[in-house]
Amino acid sequence: MTHDTVITGARVVTASGTTQCDIGITGGKIVTLGTDLKGAEVIDAAGLVALPGGIDSHVHISQPSGPGIEMADDFTSGTRSAACGGNTTVLPFSLPDEGQTLREAVAAYRAKAEGNCLTDVSFHLIVKQTDPVTLGQDLPALIQAGYTSFKVFMTYAGLAVSDRQILDVMAVAKEQNAMVMVHAENEDAIEFLRDKAERDGETGPYHHATTRPVPVEREATHRAISLAEIAGVPLTIVHVSNGEATEEIVRARQRGLTVFAETCPQYITLTAQDLDRDGFDGAKYVCSPPPRTSDEWPKIWSGIEQGAFDLFSSDHCPFRFNDPSGKDAPGARQSFRNIPNGIPGVETRLPILFSEGVVKGRLSFERFAAITATNHAKLYGLFPRKGAIMVGADADITLWDPGLSKPIRQADLNHGSDYTPWEGFEITGWPVRTILRGVTVAKDGAPVSAPIGTHLEREAPDVLF
Ligand code: DUC
Ligand code: ZN
Ligand code: ZN
């Protein structure tokens, strides 16, 4: 049999093992794993590592972020950046605008993405209203249509929902077999600390971090887990930043609860001191939860290595720095309260974990595959179509040069932001070719194909993995 494409010579890694073989691709699917395969196109990958295409299940693209504020990435630049960083699928959020229903929001995001994506895309919902139509009609219908995960917030005026609302939402997830994702920070505690900081004149970017300390996140993590226990549903805690919140997750599992957890590059590489950089530069690092002290890094690493964390995502939430519609928003220099919240990172997530984890010997290749692709596919209903190099799966494969060393540079990145929080950060191991359903979409850090990405309907979460 002659394949459309054969990848030869690579070390092929999946979450469950590593082998040396050829990968035969036809019709966008992996159809053969073997030796001496024939293909119309042959990709010589000698010396490279073939990993499942990255799945970044936590990104924000084209999301409304307040009057006059604009996210730095639309679907063209956001998925271009993702593909150049070794990803083949991203899962952004669908946030309803004021007065918009969940269904209207999803339709609007689908329209923005359609025809513009260099990766495949599927949307998580954000649930901020719990009226009877939302919970009784829209949410169940959307889950049945393949939007099988949604996020609720315990912080942010206008987004935060009460404990009762979280329980009501969880009841729908239980009935419909969907995954609830929680942003766990205690809004009242933050508001208390923020008001005090402003009264005391502590208004610079650094005080974004001091007003969202570890107990704010630890308490909310504990509460979210307790609510999921009461409702009887599995739960995913997103963007966990510190050891105490991680302990809550580990303890919950020891009690037999089904709790999944996600962490991100910022929590193993950045600190609150970055928010204290000269002038207004600290604003470049404002995200929530905030980066902590470097004492927390080894605790997060233990969680990554030992399995407390199932998912390693970017929480890509990009704003431009030198821009009044970005970090330099009106009032942002007067108070951290007005600084748009989030950092770019979809293109640097995988190289940072590869370099800091695999190359430095903290992480096996297999575990890297699990927490950057396979587990995302399982948790969010895309497995086995996505997240694995195996016969029958989509041919979503990233080729890595494990010895290529160069620093992260804004000038080399493809996102819409005008900075990277990791400027100058030394990386060994870069993705050199990203293949989506058999088509090379990015090579050596640059896009090389038309926007062939499609929308993915998802199955129910596989909560038993
Ligand atoms: N939460 C996110 O998940 N992303 C950006 C900002 C936030 O608070
Ligand atoms: Zn969040
Ligand atoms: Zn996020």
Short mmCIF file of all heavy atoms in Angstrom, two decimals, residues 268-317:
data_model
loop_
_atom_site.label_atom_id
_atom_site.label_comp_id
_atom_site.label_asym_id
_atom_site.label_seq_id
_atom_site.Cartn_x
_atom_site.Cartn_y
_atom_site.Cartn_z
N ILE A 268 5.49 27.64 36.94
CA ILE A 268 6.79 26.99 37.18
C ILE A 268 7.95 27.86 36.70
O ILE A 268 9.11 27.45 36.78
CB ILE A 268 6.89 25.59 36.49
CG1 ILE A 268 6.45 25.67 35.02
CG2 ILE A 268 6.09 24.55 37.26
CD1 ILE A 268 6.74 24.41 34.22
N THR A 269 7.63 29.05 36.19
CA THR A 269 8.71 29.88 35.63
C THR A 269 8.66 31.35 36.02
O THR A 269 9.67 32.05 35.90
CB THR A 269 8.69 29.83 34.08
OG1 THR A 269 7.38 30.20 33.65
CG2 THR A 269 9.04 28.45 33.54
N LEU A 270 7.51 31.87 36.42
CA LEU A 270 7.38 33.29 36.75
C LEU A 270 7.10 33.45 38.24
O LEU A 270 6.65 32.49 38.89
CB LEU A 270 6.23 33.93 35.95
CG LEU A 270 6.29 33.81 34.42
CD1 LEU A 270 5.06 34.46 33.78
CD2 LEU A 270 7.57 34.41 33.86
N THR A 271 7.36 34.64 38.78
CA THR A 271 7.02 34.90 40.19
C THR A 271 6.28 36.23 40.31
O THR A 271 6.27 37.04 39.37
CB THR A 271 8.26 34.97 41.10
OG1 THR A 271 8.97 36.19 40.80
CG2 THR A 271 9.17 33.77 40.93
N ALA A 272 5.74 36.45 41.51
CA ALA A 272 5.07 37.73 41.79
C ALA A 272 6.04 38.89 41.62
O ALA A 272 5.62 40.01 41.28
CB ALA A 272 4.48 37.71 43.20
N GLN A 273 7.34 38.64 41.82
CA GLN A 273 8.32 39.73 41.65
C GLN A 273 8.33 40.24 40.21
O GLN A 273 8.70 41.39 39.96
CB GLN A 273 9.72 39.24 42.04
CG GLN A 273 9.91 39.04 43.53
CD GLN A 273 9.51 40.27 44.35
OE1 GLN A 273 9.89 41.39 44.03
NE2 GLN A 273 8.71 40.07 45.39
N ASP A 274 7.95 39.40 39.26
CA ASP A 274 7.88 39.88 37.88
C ASP A 274 6.84 41.00 37.74
O ASP A 274 6.97 41.85 36.87
CB ASP A 274 7.53 38.72 36.93
CG ASP A 274 8.71 37.78 36.71
OD1 ASP A 274 9.81 38.28 36.42
OD2 ASP A 274 8.54 36.55 36.85
N LEU A 275 5.82 40.96 38.60
CA LEU A 275 4.81 42.03 38.54
C LEU A 275 5.34 43.33 39.15
O LEU A 275 4.69 44.37 39.06
CB LEU A 275 3.52 41.61 39.28
CG LEU A 275 2.59 40.67 38.52
CD1 LEU A 275 3.09 39.24 38.56
CD2 LEU A 275 1.17 40.73 39.07
N ASP A 276 6.52 43.25 39.79
CA ASP A 276 7.13 44.41 40.44
C ASP A 276 8.25 45.00 39.59
O ASP A 276 9.09 45.74 40.08
CB ASP A 276 7.67 43.97 41.82
CG ASP A 276 7.74 45.14 42.79
OD1 ASP A 276 7.09 46.17 42.54
OD2 ASP A 276 8.46 45.01 43.80
N ARG A 277 8.28 44.64 38.31
CA ARG A 277 9.34 45.17 37.44
C ARG A 277 9.19 46.68 37.27
O ARG A 277 8.11 47.23 37.48
CB ARG A 277 9.30 44.48 36.08
CG ARG A 277 9.71 43.03 36.18
CD ARG A 277 9.94 42.46 34.81
NE ARG A 277 10.24 41.04 34.89
CZ ARG A 277 10.97 40.38 33.99
NH1 ARG A 277 11.45 41.01 32.94
NH2 ARG A 277 11.19 39.09 34.13
N ASP A 278 10.29 47.30 36.82
CA ASP A 278 10.35 48.76 36.73
C ASP A 278 9.20 49.35 35.92
O ASP A 278 8.74 48.75 34.96
CB ASP A 278 11.66 49.18 36.04
CG ASP A 278 12.82 49.03 37.00
OD1 ASP A 278 12.56 48.78 38.20
OD2 ASP A 278 13.98 49.14 36.56
N GLY A 279 8.84 50.56 36.33
CA GLY A 279 7.81 51.29 35.60
C GLY A 279 6.52 50.51 35.59
O GLY A 279 6.08 50.00 36.61
N PHE A 280 5.95 50.40 34.42
CA PHE A 280 4.66 49.70 34.27
C PHE A 280 4.87 48.29 33.73
O PHE A 280 3.92 47.56 33.47
CB PHE A 280 3.79 50.55 33.34
CG PHE A 280 2.36 50.09 33.23
CD1 PHE A 280 1.54 49.98 34.34
CD2 PHE A 280 1.83 49.79 31.98
CE1 PHE A 280 0.23 49.56 34.23
CE2 PHE A 280 0.51 49.37 31.84
CZ PHE A 280 -0.29 49.26 32.98
N ASP A 281 6.16 47.87 33.60
CA ASP A 281 6.46 46.58 32.97
C ASP A 281 5.81 45.39 33.68
O ASP A 281 5.55 44.35 33.06
CB ASP A 281 7.97 46.35 32.88
CG ASP A 281 8.52 46.84 31.55
OD1 ASP A 281 7.84 47.67 30.90
OD2 ASP A 281 9.61 46.38 31.17
N GLY A 282 5.57 45.54 35.00
CA GLY A 282 4.93 44.45 35.74
C GLY A 282 3.58 44.06 35.17
O GLY A 282 3.13 42.92 35.33
N ALA A 283 2.93 45.01 34.47
CA ALA A 283 1.61 44.71 33.89
C ALA A 283 1.67 43.57 32.89
O ALA A 283 0.68 42.87 32.65
CB ALA A 283 1.04 45.96 33.22
N LYS A 284 2.86 43.36 32.31
CA LYS A 284 3.02 42.27 31.33
C LYS A 284 2.78 40.90 31.96
O LYS A 284 2.59 39.92 31.24
CB LYS A 284 4.45 42.28 30.76
CG LYS A 284 4.78 43.47 29.91
CD LYS A 284 6.22 43.37 29.43
CE LYS A 284 6.58 44.54 28.53
NZ LYS A 284 8.03 44.55 28.22
N TYR A 285 2.84 40.85 33.30
CA TYR A 285 2.75 39.55 33.99
C TYR A 285 1.45 39.40 34.78
O TYR A 285 1.29 38.44 35.52
CB TYR A 285 3.96 39.40 34.94
CG TYR A 285 5.25 39.47 34.17
CD1 TYR A 285 5.86 40.70 33.89
CD2 TYR A 285 5.85 38.31 33.66
CE1 TYR A 285 7.02 40.77 33.13
CE2 TYR A 285 7.01 38.38 32.92
CZ TYR A 285 7.58 39.61 32.65
OH TYR A 285 8.73 39.67 31.90
N VAL A 286 0.54 40.37 34.62
CA VAL A 286 -0.72 40.31 35.38
C VAL A 286 -1.62 39.23 34.80
O VAL A 286 -2.08 39.33 33.66
CB VAL A 286 -1.42 41.69 35.38
CG1 VAL A 286 -2.86 41.57 35.86
CG2 VAL A 286 -0.65 42.68 36.26
N CYS A 287 -1.85 38.20 35.59
CA CYS A 287 -2.77 37.14 35.21
C CYS A 287 -3.32 36.55 36.50
O CYS A 287 -2.80 36.80 37.58
CB CYS A 287 -2.09 36.06 34.37
SG CYS A 287 -0.75 35.20 35.21
N SER A 288 -4.38 35.78 36.39
CA SER A 288 -5.02 35.22 37.58
C SER A 288 -5.24 33.72 37.43
O SER A 288 -5.74 33.30 36.39
CB SER A 288 -6.39 35.87 37.81
OG SER A 288 -6.23 37.23 38.03
N PRO A 289 -4.91 32.96 38.51
CA PRO A 289 -4.19 33.37 39.70
C PRO A 289 -2.82 33.93 39.32
O PRO A 289 -2.28 33.58 38.27
CB PRO A 289 -4.04 32.07 40.50
CG PRO A 289 -5.08 31.14 39.96
CD PRO A 289 -5.29 31.54 38.55
N PRO A 290 -2.26 34.79 40.20
CA PRO A 290 -0.96 35.38 39.86
C PRO A 290 0.18 34.41 40.05
O PRO A 290 0.06 33.46 40.83
CB PRO A 290 -0.85 36.53 40.87
CG PRO A 290 -1.68 36.11 42.03
CD PRO A 290 -2.79 35.27 41.48
N PRO A 291 1.29 34.62 39.36
CA PRO A 291 2.50 33.85 39.68
C PRO A 291 2.85 34.07 41.16
O PRO A 291 2.59 35.13 41.71
CB PRO A 291 3.57 34.46 38.77
CG PRO A 291 2.82 35.13 37.67
CD PRO A 291 1.52 35.59 38.27
N ARG A 292 3.42 33.05 41.78
CA ARG A 292 3.68 33.07 43.24
C ARG A 292 5.16 33.30 43.50
O ARG A 292 5.83 33.95 42.72
CB ARG A 292 3.20 31.74 43.84
CG ARG A 292 1.75 31.38 43.51
CD ARG A 292 0.79 32.34 44.15
NE ARG A 292 -0.60 32.00 43.86
CZ ARG A 292 -1.62 32.76 44.28
NH1 ARG A 292 -1.42 33.86 44.94
NH2 ARG A 292 -2.87 32.42 43.99
N THR A 293 5.70 32.71 44.59
CA THR A 293 7.14 32.76 44.83
C THR A 293 7.77 31.53 44.19
O THR A 293 7.08 30.53 43.92
CB THR A 293 7.47 32.73 46.33
OG1 THR A 293 7.03 31.47 46.84
CG2 THR A 293 6.74 33.86 47.08
N SER A 294 9.08 31.59 44.00
CA SER A 294 9.74 30.42 43.39
C SER A 294 9.70 29.21 44.32
O SER A 294 9.94 28.09 43.88
CB SER A 294 11.17 30.76 42.97
OG SER A 294 11.88 31.24 44.09
N ASP A 295 9.38 29.41 45.60
CA ASP A 295 9.19 28.26 46.53
C ASP A 295 8.05 27.37 46.06
O ASP A 295 7.99 26.19 46.44
CB ASP A 295 8.84 28.74 47.94
CG ASP A 295 10.02 29.40 48.62
OD1 ASP A 295 11.13 29.32 48.06
OD2 ASP A 295 9.81 30.00 49.69
N GLU A 296 7.11 27.93 45.32
CA GLU A 296 5.96 27.13 44.86
C GLU A 296 6.33 26.25 43.66
O GLU A 296 5.66 25.25 43.40
CB GLU A 296 4.78 28.02 44.49
CG GLU A 296 4.23 28.87 45.65
CD GLU A 296 3.66 28.04 46.79
OE1 GLU A 296 3.15 26.93 46.56
OE2 GLU A 296 3.73 28.53 47.94
N TRP A 297 7.36 26.64 42.90
CA TRP A 297 7.68 25.89 41.67
C TRP A 297 7.90 24.40 41.93
O TRP A 297 7.31 23.57 41.22
CB TRP A 297 8.89 26.48 40.98
CG TRP A 297 8.75 27.89 40.46
CD1 TRP A 297 7.61 28.64 40.41
CD2 TRP A 297 9.79 28.72 39.95
NE1 TRP A 297 7.88 29.88 39.90
CE2 TRP A 297 9.21 29.96 39.60
CE3 TRP A 297 11.16 28.55 39.73
CZ2 TRP A 297 9.96 31.01 39.06
CZ3 TRP A 297 11.91 29.58 39.19
CH2 TRP A 297 11.31 30.80 38.85
N PRO A 298 8.75 24.05 42.94
CA PRO A 298 8.97 22.60 43.13
C PRO A 298 7.70 21.86 43.54
O PRO A 298 7.55 20.67 43.23
CB PRO A 298 10.02 22.52 44.24
CG PRO A 298 10.26 23.91 44.71
CD PRO A 298 9.63 24.87 43.77
N LYS A 299 6.78 22.57 44.20
CA LYS A 299 5.51 21.91 44.59
C LYS A 299 4.66 21.64 43.35
O LYS A 299 4.02 20.59 43.25
CB LYS A 299 4.76 22.79 45.59
CG LYS A 299 5.55 23.06 46.86
CD LYS A 299 4.81 24.05 47.76
CE LYS A 299 5.75 24.59 48.83
NZ LYS A 299 5.17 25.76 49.52
N ILE A 300 4.68 22.58 42.43
CA ILE A 300 3.94 22.35 41.17
C ILE A 300 4.62 21.25 40.36
O ILE A 300 3.95 20.36 39.82
CB ILE A 300 3.83 23.66 40.35
CG1 ILE A 300 3.04 24.73 41.12
CG2 ILE A 300 3.20 23.39 38.99
CD1 ILE A 300 1.57 24.44 41.33
N TRP A 301 5.96 21.29 40.35
CA TRP A 301 6.67 20.22 39.63
C TRP A 301 6.35 18.85 40.20
O TRP A 301 6.13 17.89 39.45
CB TRP A 301 8.20 20.45 39.66
CG TRP A 301 8.68 21.31 38.54
CD1 TRP A 301 9.22 22.56 38.65
CD2 TRP A 301 8.63 21.02 37.14
NE1 TRP A 301 9.52 23.05 37.39
CE2 TRP A 301 9.18 22.13 36.46
CE3 TRP A 301 8.19 19.93 36.39
CZ2 TRP A 301 9.30 22.17 35.06
CZ3 TRP A 301 8.30 19.98 35.01
CH2 TRP A 301 8.84 21.07 34.36
N SER A 302 6.31 18.74 41.54
CA SER A 302 5.96 17.44 42.14
C SER A 302 4.60 17.00 41.65
O SER A 302 4.37 15.82 41.34
CB SER A 302 5.90 17.50 43.66
OG SER A 302 7.09 17.91 44.16
N GLY A 303 3.66 17.95 41.60
CA GLY A 303 2.31 17.62 41.13
C GLY A 303 2.31 17.18 39.68
O GLY A 303 1.54 16.29 39.28
N ILE A 304 3.16 17.80 38.87
CA ILE A 304 3.25 17.41 37.45
C ILE A 304 3.84 16.00 37.34
O ILE A 304 3.33 15.15 36.61
CB ILE A 304 4.11 18.43 36.67
CG1 ILE A 304 3.40 19.77 36.57
CG2 ILE A 304 4.46 17.90 35.29
CD1 ILE A 304 4.24 20.89 35.96
N GLU A 305 4.91 15.78 38.09
CA GLU A 305 5.62 14.49 37.98
C GLU A 305 4.78 13.35 38.56
O GLU A 305 4.74 12.25 38.01
CB GLU A 305 6.95 14.56 38.75
CG GLU A 305 7.98 15.44 38.08
CD GLU A 305 9.03 15.94 39.07
OE1 GLU A 305 9.13 15.39 40.19
OE2 GLU A 305 9.74 16.89 38.73
N GLN A 306 4.13 13.63 39.70
CA GLN A 306 3.48 12.53 40.42
C GLN A 306 2.01 12.35 40.06
O GLN A 306 1.37 11.44 40.57
CB GLN A 306 3.64 12.76 41.93
CG GLN A 306 5.09 12.60 42.37
CD GLN A 306 5.32 13.13 43.77
OE1 GLN A 306 4.37 13.29 44.53
NE2 GLN A 306 6.56 13.42 44.11
N GLY A 307 1.46 13.21 39.24
CA GLY A 307 0.12 12.95 38.74
C GLY A 307 -0.99 13.79 39.34
O GLY A 307 -2.15 13.63 39.00
N ALA A 308 -0.66 14.72 40.25
CA ALA A 308 -1.71 15.62 40.75
C ALA A 308 -2.29 16.42 39.59
O ALA A 308 -3.48 16.73 39.56
CB ALA A 308 -1.16 16.55 41.81
N PHE A 309 -1.41 16.75 38.62
CA PHE A 309 -1.89 17.49 37.45
C PHE A 309 -2.06 16.57 36.26
O PHE A 309 -1.16 15.81 35.90
CB PHE A 309 -0.92 18.64 37.11
CG PHE A 309 -0.90 19.68 38.20
CD1 PHE A 309 0.22 19.84 38.99
CD2 PHE A 309 -2.02 20.45 38.46
CE1 PHE A 309 0.22 20.77 40.02
CE2 PHE A 309 -2.04 21.38 39.49
CZ PHE A 309 -0.91 21.53 40.27
N ASP A 310 -3.25 16.64 35.68
CA ASP A 310 -3.57 15.86 34.49
C ASP A 310 -3.29 16.67 33.23
O ASP A 310 -3.08 16.11 32.16
CB ASP A 310 -5.06 15.51 34.49
CG ASP A 310 -5.47 14.90 35.81
OD1 ASP A 310 -5.16 13.72 36.02
OD2 ASP A 310 -6.04 15.62 36.65
N LEU A 311 -3.36 17.98 33.37
CA LEU A 311 -3.33 18.87 32.22
C LEU A 311 -2.29 19.96 32.41
O LEU A 311 -2.20 20.55 33.49
CB LEU A 311 -4.70 19.56 32.04
CG LEU A 311 -5.94 18.68 31.99
CD1 LEU A 311 -7.20 19.55 32.07
CD2 LEU A 311 -5.96 17.87 30.70
N PHE A 312 -1.55 20.23 31.36
CA PHE A 312 -0.65 21.37 31.33
C PHE A 312 -1.10 22.23 30.15
O PHE A 312 -0.95 21.83 28.99
CB PHE A 312 0.80 20.90 31.17
CG PHE A 312 1.83 21.98 31.35
CD1 PHE A 312 2.24 22.35 32.63
CD2 PHE A 312 2.40 22.62 30.26
CE1 PHE A 312 3.21 23.34 32.81
CE2 PHE A 312 3.36 23.61 30.43
CZ PHE A 312 3.77 23.96 31.71
N SER A 313 -1.70 23.38 30.45
CA SER A 313 -2.28 24.25 29.42
C SER A 313 -1.61 25.62 29.50
O SER A 313 -0.88 25.90 30.45
CB SER A 313 -3.77 24.43 29.66
OG SER A 313 -4.42 23.18 29.76
N SER A 314 -1.90 26.47 28.51
CA SER A 314 -1.24 27.79 28.54
C SER A 314 -2.03 28.85 29.30
O SER A 314 -1.45 29.77 29.85
CB SER A 314 -0.99 28.28 27.12
OG SER A 314 -2.22 28.57 26.46
N ASP A 315 -3.38 28.75 29.31
CA ASP A 315 -4.23 29.88 29.70
C ASP A 315 -3.84 31.12 28.89
O ASP A 315 -3.78 32.23 29.43
CB ASP A 315 -4.19 30.14 31.21
CG ASP A 315 -5.34 31.04 31.64
OD1 ASP A 315 -6.18 31.41 30.78
OD2 ASP A 315 -5.41 31.37 32.84
N HIS A 316 -3.59 30.90 27.62
CA HIS A 316 -3.28 32.01 26.69
C HIS A 316 -4.41 33.03 26.73
O HIS A 316 -5.56 32.71 26.40
CB HIS A 316 -3.16 31.41 25.28
CG HIS A 316 -2.86 32.39 24.19
ND1 HIS A 316 -1.63 32.95 24.01
CD2 HIS A 316 -3.64 32.89 23.19
CE1 HIS A 316 -1.64 33.75 22.94
NE2 HIS A 316 -2.87 33.72 22.44
N CYS A 317 -4.10 34.23 27.14
CA CYS A 317 -5.13 35.28 27.28
C CYS A 317 -4.42 36.60 26.94
O CYS A 317 -4.04 37.36 27.82
CB CYS A 317 -5.66 35.25 28.72
SG CYS A 317 -7.07 36.32 28.98
#
